[in-house]
Amino acid sequence: MKLSQVLGTLTILTGCISALFFADVPKVIKYNKGDIRNYNTIALHELKKGDLVQGTICLTDGYIAEEEETKKSFGVETSRNTTARFYALYTDNGNYVLYQTGSEYECKRLDQIVDEYLQYEEAVEALEESDGEEADYSGLAVPETALDFTGEVVQMPSDLLPIFQNWYGEGFEEVCEGDVIIRTSNFGRFSWVMYAAFGCAAGALVMLALTIFAHIREKRNQQYGN
């Protein structure tokens, strides 16, 4: 392969990486301006695609769907791994919104929230059955687990919406967010995205210049039989 072809390939690759970083620039601008929605105060249909969100998850009904990655060897399935789960979050305003995460820590934390509330509800029912109106709830272990998170709002996947609708049932539109979901996102990366974007863009320009120079040199050598 000629040097110009190698450099040309590197130019395209560097340019694509730069474009990926520049796609995050609007989010970086919002982050730097402090334009971040508070999850614990959002109203139904208030979230818009591209919004940044942060807050504390205190209640979830668990995950309603998950994405899986299947690995095959010679056409035979060898393993299947979960890459992301979609949790139905019950917001402070009494609505539902889906939260996508592939973080093992977050999944364990959210599952723990579900377990604690189920245990609490079972304890309340048992106490009411035994003591009736004289039931004293002060001795019950109140759920305490919560999850602080940061995320970005993305379009609701078309294949996920009917799953969400079937899960909730009647009255979906009145209390469920059907247009968008919240996807976990590490806001810490926004501190270096701009530098990476402009660095890769500068690298692509340098590679382009080298590609042109190498191509001209190759043509000249070919012309003079070198």
Side-chain angles (χ1 to χ4, degrees), residues 134-210:
E134 298 180 359
D136 181 7
Y137 304 100
S138 60
L140 298 181
V142 178
E144 297 180 346
T145 301
L147 174 65
D148 294 328
F149 80 100
T150 54
E152 58 184 276
V153 180
V154 298
Q155 190 72 34
M156 167 75 75
S158 58
D159 56 345
L160 182 62
L161 179 57
I163 297 175
F164 193 17
Q165 292 172 325
N166 292 334
W167 173 83
Y168 186 81
E170 188 176 353
F172 175 86
E173 295 182 356
E174 283 72 31
V175 294
C176 296
E177 193 68 66
D179 295 328
V180 295
I181 66 173
I182 302 174
R183 183 172 61 196
T184 185
S185 177
N186 179 12
F187 288 177
R189 64 190 174 90
F190 292 151
S191 61
W192 53 264
V193 163
M194 294 289 284
Y195 298 105
F198 284 107
C200 288
L205 291 175
V206 172
M207 288 293 180
L208 177 61
L210 291 174

Side-chain angles (χ1 to χ4, degrees), residues 79-170:
S79 64
R80 182 176 296 179
N81 300 315
T82 298
T83 57
R85 284 179 173 177
F86 299 86
Y87 285 82
L89 306 185
Y90 189 67
T91 71
D92 291 0
N93 285 327
N95 302 311
Y96 277 100
V97 61
L98 293 185
Y99 178 67
Q100 177 185 355
T101 179
S103 164
E104 183 177 354
Y105 167 77
E106 290 192 343
C107 288
K108 287 183 177 180
R109 195 79 174 173
L110 292 168
D111 290 342
Q112 186 177 350
I113 292 174
V114 175
D115 292 340
E116 287 186 2
Y117 270 93
L118 288 176
Q119 293 171 8
Y120 179 73
E121 290 177 355
E122 290 175 358
V124 168
E125 291 178 1
L127 186 63
E128 290 177 345
E129 287 181 2
S130 62
D131 297 349
E133 295 181 357
E134 298 180 359
D136 181 7
Y137 304 100
S138 60
L140 298 181
V142 178
E144 297 180 346
T145 301
L147 174 65
D148 294 328
F149 80 100
T150 54
E152 58 184 276
V153 180
V154 298
Q155 190 72 34
M156 167 75 75
S158 58
D159 56 345
L160 182 62
L161 179 57
I163 297 175
F164 193 17
Q165 292 172 325
N166 292 334
W167 173 83
Y168 186 81
E170 188 176 353

